[in-house]
Amino acid sequence: MSLLDGISSEDFIKALTTAPYVNCPVCGAKNTAGTCVIARRSFSRRCFKCGENSSGGSLPDLDKKIIYLDQCALGFMLRALIYKEGETKEKEDQVPVIENFLKAFEKIDILNKKQLLICPKSDFHFKETSIMSEERAKALTHVNTLLSSTNSFFEASRIITRQTFSHFSAWLQGETFEFNDDKKEATSSTVDDWNMWINVVVNHKLSEEYVESLQTEKEDNHKELGGLFAKWQKENGKSYDEFRTLELSNFGLLMTTLPSMQSYSLPDVSSMIELLFRSVMYPDYLHQISRSFFGICEKYGVSEDKRAEKIHEYFLSEEILQVPFFQISSALTALVAHRASQNEDMKVDGNNIIDILFMSLFLPYTDAVLMETKWHRDLLTLPLTYKAKVFSFSNMPDFFTYLNDIESSASQEIIDKAKNVYGDLKPYYTVHKL
């Protein structure tokens, strides 16, 4: 017995197509040819009467804005959707906050459908979602998939090593380093493609062992950060600049000593930057990065007895701050260290690890970030260089102005074509219920 038994060919084709339905150019039937296949620069329709395909025409090139939504922003959007559907009640003082996030979801979803922006997923979203309840994880994944159109940022190791090794090679040769902040250096190659009209999400159940490993990893990182806090709180006399230099120096020393260590073991954590690396890389990959530094030294003629010294010199140089990841991460980890040294009662916040990671990785490549308020002022006051406009929960009106500007400056041709391909462009308020 076939799964298709009892399903007419007409109903089957309707399930594979979507509105708007137009007159079929093959058989002439009225309003029967719906959008079927969307390719990179063209799309086709299929008629549910005659079953024939027809060209929908070409599609213009796109240059979508890239917006990173942190996990907290996504969580508030899900909360807003649940509230709108009447599934929960909110305290009176929280209603304006929830309404702001509902408005943000509506606007982002519409602009995504108009092919003007996209909000790629990241490994941080996946890890944080994986340790939630199954029901909430499923709902949040659907919201994330909708707004990302299944596009993702590259894994952290790829972004960091591409930046660092190209810069280190230029530094050894005395050449000028030019950082490429193009979005496709950090995101899927399909990020500027026209969205598929349907996204397939496989809600596979993660093994208990895997979820436990993620929870253990988070607890271990929190414990390691606590150890660093205890050390920093004994160093009251150090300045912010001294902490920043120490963060880079200690990581540089780690890179010089790993090749001499047995197997893939790691020494005690000596810097928060090292903890950032450990949270996204296995020990063997850290060893591999260290060996790559030595390999690059060999390639450019640094004698064997000088390679470790040269690598450490690199991490002490001013030029290391030309690498966006190290510029941002060293500034923020030093800020945490300095504040801890000034306040014996400062609590360890394990979320700082993921926060600093996504800022260090994605601010250089994205057009905008919507994130928690706690880091917003620091990013505005620190002397950092990056591409993104930073928005937080404290300046949502500015974020809405930014989104409105994207829409008002968009090509009318693209908006009209989006309506031709996808039909009515309405927010998907029930995506979390799938």
Side-chain angles (χ1 to χ4, degrees), residues 115-142:
Q115 311 304 297
L116 303 180
L117 61 75
I118 203 158
C119 305
K121 297 183 287 186
S122 74
D123 287 345
F124 308 122
H125 292 142
F126 175 75
K127 283 188 174 183
E128 289 295 294
T129 302
S130 297
I131 58 178
M132 296 177 177
S133 69
E134 186 175 349
E135 182 180 0
R136 181 171 174 78
K138 179 180 176 182
L140 197 58
T141 296
H142 288 166

Side-chain angles (χ1 to χ4, degrees), residues 163-311:
Q163 286 181 15
T164 307
F165 292 153
S166 59
H167 181 268
F168 183 53
S169 299
W171 181 78
L172 285 175
Q173 299 173 84
E175 295 178 353
T176 301
F177 174 73
E178 293 186 10
F179 171 65
N180 183 1
D181 66 1
D182 186 89
K183 57 194 165 189
K184 292 183 180 177
E185 290 289 307
T187 57
S188 317
S189 61
T190 58
V191 73
D192 278 332
D193 288 359
W194 284 71
N195 297 343
M196 297 298 293
W197 70 268
I198 187 170
N199 294 315
V200 178
V201 180
V202 179
N203 290 308
H204 61 280
K205 184 175 176 61
L206 298 173
S207 69
E208 291 183 8
E209 292 80 4
Y210 179 72
V211 174
E212 286 176 4
S213 72
L214 291 179
Q215 291 171 328
T216 300
E217 176 187 294
K218 190 169 185 178
E219 291 166 3
D220 288 346
N221 287 337
H222 188 274
K223 183 178 179 181
E224 294 284 6
L225 185 56
L228 289 174
F229 259 66
K231 182 179 72 171
W232 293 332
Q233 287 171 336
K234 296 176 184 177
E235 299 176 325
N236 184 268
K238 280 194 174 70
S239 68
Y240 165 81
D241 288 335
E242 287 175 317
F243 275 115
R244 191 176 190 185
T245 299
L246 198 59
E247 280 286 300
L248 291 165
S249 174
N250 285 346
F251 185 76
L253 284 174
L254 175 70
M255 290 294 98
T256 66
T257 56
L258 285 183
S260 63
M261 298 191 69
Q262 295 295 320
S263 65
Y264 290 127
S265 60
L266 294 173
D268 292 339
V269 174
S270 61
S271 68
M272 192 173 179
I273 290 179
E274 179 185 338
L275 192 52
L276 302 183
F277 273 78
R278 290 195 188 198
S279 67
V280 293
M281 299 178 193
Y282 292 113
D284 61 327
Y285 200 85
L286 270 170
H287 279 259
Q288 184 178 325
I289 290 175
S290 175
R291 290 195 299 272
S292 295
F293 273 112
F294 280 86
I296 293 171
C297 284
E298 181 181 7
K299 178 180 178 180
Y300 292 108
V302 179
S303 61
E304 186 173 358
D305 63 325
K306 295 291 185 182
R307 289 169 194 168
E309 180 183 335
K310 201 69 176 175
I311 293 167

Side-chain angles (χ1 to χ4, degrees), residues 1-9 11:
M1 181 178 178
S2 169
L3 290 174
L4 299 181
D5 286 350
I7 301 177
S8 68
S9 60
D11 287 340

Side-chain angles (χ1 to χ4, degrees), residues 364-381:
Y365 300 101
T366 56
D367 294 290
V369 170
L370 179 62
M371 58 188 291
E372 283 187 271
T373 303
K374 64 179 182 179
W375 288 103
H376 189 190
R377 183 176 297 176
D378 295 327
L379 287 173
L380 294 177
T381 56

Side-chain angles (χ1 to χ4, degrees), residues 300-335:
Y300 292 108
V302 179
S303 61
E304 186 173 358
D305 63 325
K306 295 291 185 182
R307 289 169 194 168
E309 180 183 335
K310 201 69 176 175
I311 293 167
H312 192 222
E313 178 189 340
Y314 173 63
F315 279 94
L316 289 173
S317 70
E318 290 185 4
E319 287 85 353
I320 187 66
L321 299 182
Q322 295 171 2
V323 181
F325 177 82
F326 285 111
Q327 179 210 173
I328 298 170
S329 64
S330 65
L332 297 176
T333 57
L335 192 64

